[in-house]
């Protein structure tokens, strides 16, 4: 299982919007959860949003009402629609894939894409 998360990052002004996409490829069986994490400079990596195979969504309190996660199972792709962006949203965003194989659980991380929000 692999994740491509390079599409969608970039520079945006405060109040603007961006959409990130992460396409999973390879062994996609038993892909339970797809989500997004971010890591700001000097900070720990934190969960931003996640969505299960059943469509259950979870968001960090800091992004509720501004970000929306969605999943297209036919395309094995997860999206993060980011609106009303703030400078504090500046971070490297990572796609996260969680699956359970016969050999056990496995986590997969994308290499990240930089989102910079200017004042």
């Amino acid at each position: 299982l692999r994740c491509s998360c390079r599409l969608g990052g970039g520079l945006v002004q405060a109040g603007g919007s961006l959409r990130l996409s992460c396409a999973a490829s390879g062994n996609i069986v038993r892909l339970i959860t797809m989500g997004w994490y971010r890591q700001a400079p000097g900070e720990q990596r934190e969960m931003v949003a996640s969505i299960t195979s059943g469509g259950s969504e979870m968001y960090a309190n800091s992004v509720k009402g501004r970000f929306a996660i969605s999943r297209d199972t036919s395309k094995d792709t997860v999206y993060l629609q980011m609106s009303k962006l703030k400078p504090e949203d500046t971070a490297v965003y990572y796609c996260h894939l969680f699956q359970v194989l016969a050999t056990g659980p496995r986590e997969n991380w994308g290499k990240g894409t930089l989102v910079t929000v200017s004042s």
Side-chain angles (χ1 to χ4, degrees):
L1 180 63
R2 291 177 287 108
C3 177
S4 178
C5 306
R6 300 189 181 278
L7 183 63
L11 175 65
V12 64
Q13 290 186 316
S17 300
L18 282 176
R19 189 178 77 160
L20 306 181
S21 63
C22 177
S25 61
N27 185 10
I28 312 176
V29 297
R30 295 294 295 165
L31 182 57
I32 305 301
T33 304
M34 306 181 75
W36 294 93
Y37 287 68
R38 69 184 181 187
Q39 187 167 15
E43 302 292 334
Q44 297 288 95
R45 186 175 298 185
E46 64 175 348
M47 193 276 291
V48 177
S50 66
I51 185 168
T52 69
S53 59
S56 180
E57 303 172 18
M58 181 177 294
Y59 297 92
N61 288 333
S62 60
V63 305
K64 286 182 178 178
R66 300 190 299 117
F67 291 10
I69 190 170
S70 61
R71 180 174 180 174
D72 187 338
T73 56
S74 66
K75 299 179 180 179
D76 299 315
T77 301
V78 62
Y79 304 91
L80 184 66
Q81 178 65 49
M82 304 183 292
S83 302
K84 300 178 181 179
L85 284 161
K86 304 175 181 180
E88 51 263 43
D89 294 319
T90 296
V92 175
Y93 285 72
Y94 298 88
C95 179
H96 177 258
L97 310 175
F98 178 74
Q99 65 184 152
V100 179
L101 304 176
T103 54
R106 179 174 296 178
E107 291 183 293
N108 303 273
W109 294 91
K111 292 187 176 181
T113 184
L114 177 62
V115 173
T116 302
V117 184
S118 62
S119 300

